[in-house]
Amino acid sequence: RAGQVGIGITEYGLSWRTPSFRHLADFTAALWTADVAGRIMAGRAELAHYFALQDTGGHGLLDSAGFIRPTYHVFRLLRDFHGSVVPVLLQGAPPTLSVYAVAGDDGTLRILAVNMDSRAGARLRMELPDGIPLLPESVRCLTEASFEQHDDAEEVPPAPALLLPPRSVTVVTVRS
């Protein structure tokens, strides 16, 4: 029955048990969540459920008082991230940079870039295999600073080569 049964993840999250709720609600949690979501997509899982949506012993995208955690914004960034997985080739990228891409049925290419380096930004130049640059239509970036200041991701001016800030989650949309 190979190829007939899809892969599904009943639930994933940072920890099922921890003495420190801070680790479930800080920006490092958002980086981890974005990278794991990218890996799940790249692995072609048909479904995956994040544990937990609302506060349960420190877990959750929202706490019991309704405070929005950074991980919530990761899922907001990824809400339109569906389609066929597109292979990504990174040349000269640091090991702290993860990039994932999907192509939608409408011809839209969505790219998720997670820069986990705490000190250095990373340059992302997007191009087709034949070297033709891709110009993004929109770029949204979540950083610790944007979360603390605006409680959301920020719009970034599109460019063929983007500078991804340290410790950031960026979603780029390119339309064909």
Side-chain angles (χ1 to χ4, degrees):
R1 296 181 16 139
Q4 294 176 346
V5 177
I7 296 171
I9 299 169
T10 56
E11 60 183 42
Y12 69 100
L14 289 163
S15 172
W16 67 274
R17 182 175 176 208
T18 180
S20 174
F21 295 168
R22 181 184 70 82
H23 298 297
L24 301 172
D26 64 9
F27 199 75
T28 301
L31 293 171
W32 180 89
T33 300
D35 192 44
V36 168
R39 291 171 188 262
I40 289 170
M41 287 182 279
R44 293 178 168 83
E46 293 183 16
L47 66 97
H49 296 280
Y50 183 80
F51 175 84
L53 299 179
Q54 193 159 2
D55 186 39
T56 306
H59 299 269
L61 304 177
L62 307 170
D63 75 5
S64 57
F67 174 76
I68 296 172
R69 295 183 170 142
T71 48
Y72 170 84
H73 293 297
V74 169
F75 286 105
R76 280 191 63 214
L77 283 171
L78 296 177
R79 70 177 170 238
D80 294 325
F81 222 86
H82 52 81
S84 302
V85 174
V86 175
V88 174
L89 175 63
L90 295 176
Q91 296 177 335
T96 53
L97 179 66
S98 298
V99 179
Y100 310 95
V102 294
D105 293 336
D106 60 354
T108 301
L109 177 67
R110 290 181 178 83
I111 301 164
L112 166 65
V114 183
N115 184 8
M116 293 170 270
D117 193 313
S118 62
R119 294 181 305 268
R123 189 151 305 275
L124 180 65
R125 179 176 169 76
M126 297 161 292
E127 57 185 44
L128 296 172
D130 56 5
I132 298 172
L134 296 173
L135 183 60
E137 178 180 278
S138 71
V139 179
R140 296 198 36 86
C141 184
L142 180 64
T143 63
E144 202 155 9
S146 71
F147 175 75
E148 293 298 328
Q149 293 171 359
H150 309 292
D151 189 23
D152 203 353
E154 294 181 307
E155 287 286 334
V156 176
L162 296 170
L163 180 60
L164 307 174
R167 289 176 49 88
S168 63
V169 178
T170 306
V171 171
V172 180
T173 302
V174 179
R175 297 207 195 269
S176 58

